[in-house]
Amino acid sequence: MSKTLQQRLSHIDQLLQIMNQKSESREEKLKQIDVLQKSVLKLTGDIHALANQHVKYSTVGFVASGRPLVVGVYGLLGLSKRLSYTNVENKGNHFNPNKGVFTAPVDGVYIVSLRIRSTGNKVWIKHTSGNTVSQPVYIETNELLNEVSSTTGVWMTTGDEMFSYSNSDHFDCIHFSCFLLGI
């Protein structure tokens, strides 16, 4: 239990003790009840906020797999294709399957994983944070190496976006996932 919640519970306990003592007047008791009700409402709000925060952090991430769909182009010449996927498990609905874009709901470290099974293809993950663009994951297959994977951690802030794009749309299979590791 957080220190703030413990302090508020202690305050409520003190108010209850005062109420159990003989009071000078009915008005004094009503004032005490009013203070007690306000403390209970504040405590209830704090408990709900903590519960919602826990749920939020435990439901952030997605797994997308299968043959990708081209849902847009990327780059100045439009030679790269932004990808989305046919099979998506979407915890918290922060991955938009129509656009193929994941939007970070909270600040934290996210684990990003990418695996492709094909021949002669390149796949990148693009991470945008404000005006900053990075490519935390890049993998490439060739005639000898037809299955490649990479996993890394990425610091993302609320509203940052991440998506995959490629030089091709001919794959046997792609697996793209991202999960909140911690804050």
Side-chain angles (χ1 to χ4, degrees):
M1 190 179 308
S2 76
K3 188 175 181 179
T4 304
L5 290 178
Q6 287 176 336
Q7 289 171 342
R8 289 217 173 93
L9 285 174
S10 174
H11 179 67
I12 290 171
D13 188 45
Q14 290 171 358
L15 290 172
L16 287 172
Q17 288 175 6
I18 291 170
M19 289 208 43
N20 288 332
Q21 296 172 358
K22 288 189 176 181
S23 212
E24 299 268 333
S25 69
R26 183 176 187 270
E27 288 179 17
E28 181 66 30
K29 280 193 175 188
L30 290 175
K31 285 180 186 178
Q32 291 170 359
I33 288 172
D34 186 52
V35 170
L36 182 60
Q37 286 175 335
K38 288 178 182 175
S39 294
V40 168
L41 285 174
K42 178 65 175 149
L43 181 61
T44 302
D46 291 346
I47 290 170
H48 286 308
L50 285 172
N52 289 337
Q53 189 177 40
H54 173 70
V55 170
K56 186 189 308 182
Y57 298 145
S58 65
T59 57
V60 176
F62 72 92
V63 176
S65 62
R67 290 182 184 262
L69 308 168
V70 175
V71 292
V73 293
Y74 174 72
L76 294 175
L77 301 176
L79 299 176
S80 297
K81 298 158 180 69
R82 190 161 37 92
L83 306 174
S84 191
Y85 304 86
T86 53
N87 303 316
V88 177
E89 184 177 336
N90 197 358
K91 298 291 184 183
N93 293 319
H94 304 293
F95 180 77
N96 182 331
N98 297 324
K99 294 181 178 181
V101 176
F102 172 76
T103 304
V106 294
D107 295 359
V109 176
Y110 291 78
I111 297 298
V112 183
S113 181
L114 181 64
R115 180 177 59 90
I116 63 171
R117 189 171 60 225
S118 66
T119 303
N121 289 315
K122 300 174 185 176
V123 180
W124 298 263
I125 299 296
K126 178 183 175 190
H127 169 225
T128 61
S129 180
N131 294 329
T132 305
V133 177
S134 65
Q135 295 172 331
V137 179
Y138 164 77
I139 57 178
E140 179 178 1
T141 60
N142 56 39
E143 290 75 26
L144 300 174
L145 204 62
N146 68 355
E147 187 167 333
V148 180
S149 65
S150 181
T151 301
T152 190
V154 178
W155 173 260
M156 295 180 75
T157 58
T158 303
D160 285 5
E161 294 183 339
M162 189 173 294
F163 63 86
S164 61
Y165 63 100
S166 178
N167 66 329
S168 174
D169 58 354
H170 302 288
F171 298 94
D172 292 334
C173 181
I174 287 188
H175 172 96
F176 173 34
S177 63
C178 181
F179 290 94
L180 175 62
L181 176 64
I183 297 176

